[in-house]
Structure formats: C-alpha cells, structure tokens
Amino acid sequence: MERALESLKVVLPEGGVEETLRLVRGYVSDARFYLEKGDCETSIACSSYAEGLLDALRFLGRVTFEWPSVPSRRKRVLVGGVFDLLHPGHIYFLRRASELGNVYVVVARDKTVIDTKGRQPLFSEEERLEMLKALKFVSDAFLGDYPPNFANALRRVKPDIVFLGADQGGLLPIVEKAVQEAGLNVEIKVLDKRLNDYSSTKYKSLLL
C-alpha cells in the first residue's frame, strides 16, 4: 500500500478525491501501527479498506498508480552449531548465510556440547539462544534435540539450503543422511573459508 501511494498521481482532483486520499493514508498509517503492535488481523483490515478506496478512485479515472509486484519468497537457510562465546567468525558465517536467504539457527544443547567436547559450555543453551536471536542476520533460532536429531530441525524449518561452516565439512555425511530421512529437497552448501583464525576454544583459553 505504501509503495502504491508513492506512485500515485491525481488525474481528476474534483469529486472528493483529496478527502478520499486522506482516508486512504489514514488507513495505511493505522495498518502500519497495528502491524508494529503485532495485531496482524486489524492491520490487514485497515489495508483492505485503503485498497478498496484506491481501486475505486482508479476505476472512476480519478487517480493512477501501480501495485508493486510481489517479491519472490526468500529462501530459508538452516545453520547449526554451539555458538559459545560469539566472535567475529560467527558473525561472518551468519552474514554469509544471510546472503543466501533468511537464516534459521539450531543451537546445540548443553548436554550435546558436554558429550562432543567433554566440557560445559561457557554460556548456557538458553543464553546462547538469546544471543543469536538478538542478531540482525538471524530470522529465528531454536534449541536442537538431545540426543541430536538434525532431521527434526529440517522438518521444522523446511529449508531450501543447509549452510555449513568451513570447519563443519565433517558433518556433511550426517546432514545428507538427515535430509534423506526428512524426505526434503535441500541444497547443502559449505562456507568456502573461515574469517582469519577465530575460534571460541581459542578465546576461552585466554580467559582461563
């Protein structure tokens, strides 16, 4: 609606056109207000009123405008990891993933970290989850299963792409098996290179 108004031109200003356009802009403003409040139903209703008025004005030959084309759906990109002690390497990885589409992160549970790395993570699973959710490159993040079951994460997100870090190449057979188990058509990509030599383990050693 906002983009349609930007392209609007008044052809015949008489017949209450300006008053009708004032109502249209008011409905669009209300739609934005309710959308930002999370009230999608009221937002859609306000947009519908505005759309009907605009279409009526165009039908009567009072205005011209163009409805914007509907953009194609952005791809869903699933990534996973521990993400303990976030560092520039993690940010680089997530930014590269976001270039492929909307990023969804499955976060390893504390018990999984203990099983695989032999130690407790510096930050708890809930803390790591909240840090990831706060990043602008992340559309959503959620805790994985224990024991790990990547197929469940695939079923939840239904991604177009699984994006692995440059140091996660060893997980490729596991991911391929999980994709087959989930019965999905998913492209698997691996980050070509890491950003310098950033590592959570390296920074933890400096803190201890």
Side-chain angles (χ1 to χ4, degrees), residues 34-174:
Y34 286 111
L35 179 63
E36 291 175 351
K37 292 291 185 182
D39 186 349
C40 294
E41 291 182 356
T42 304
S43 177
I44 291 171
C46 293
S47 293
S48 297
Y49 284 128
E51 180 181 348
L53 290 173
L54 271 189
D55 278 335
L57 287 175
R58 182 164 63 173
F59 177 77
L60 292 170
R62 307 290 198 216
V63 302
T64 62
F65 62 89
E66 295 293 332
W67 288 117
S69 58
V70 178
S72 59
R73 179 183 72 85
R74 287 203 81 203
K75 292 185 176 181
R76 289 171 169 254
V77 183
L78 179 61
V79 305
V82 177
F83 298 99
D84 197 19
L85 195 59
L86 280 172
H87 54 68
H90 288 136
I91 303 303
Y92 174 72
F93 169 60
L94 293 170
R95 180 175 63 79
R96 289 289 301 273
S98 72
E99 292 171 359
L100 302 173
N102 294 331
V103 178
Y104 298 81
V105 185
V106 53
V107 182
R109 306 299 293 253
D110 288 345
K111 290 181 179 179
T112 301
V113 178
I114 294 171
D115 289 350
T116 56
K117 298 182 180 290
R119 54 172 171 73
Q120 184 80 21
L122 186 64
F123 292 101
S124 72
E125 57 192 35
E126 293 294 341
E127 290 170 331
R128 291 182 281 118
L129 180 65
E130 287 306 309
M131 285 191 287
L132 284 162
K133 284 185 173 182
L135 296 178
K136 68 176 183 178
F137 298 127
V138 175
S139 294
D140 192 19
F142 57 95
L143 294 174
D145 294 327
Y146 182 81
N149 188 332
F150 196 65
N152 283 341
L154 289 166
R155 294 187 188 99
R156 173 172 176 166
V157 175
K158 295 181 176 58
D160 302 285
I161 300 170
V162 170
F163 192 53
L164 299 176
D167 58 346
Q168 292 180 316
L171 298 176
L172 192 57
I174 297 173

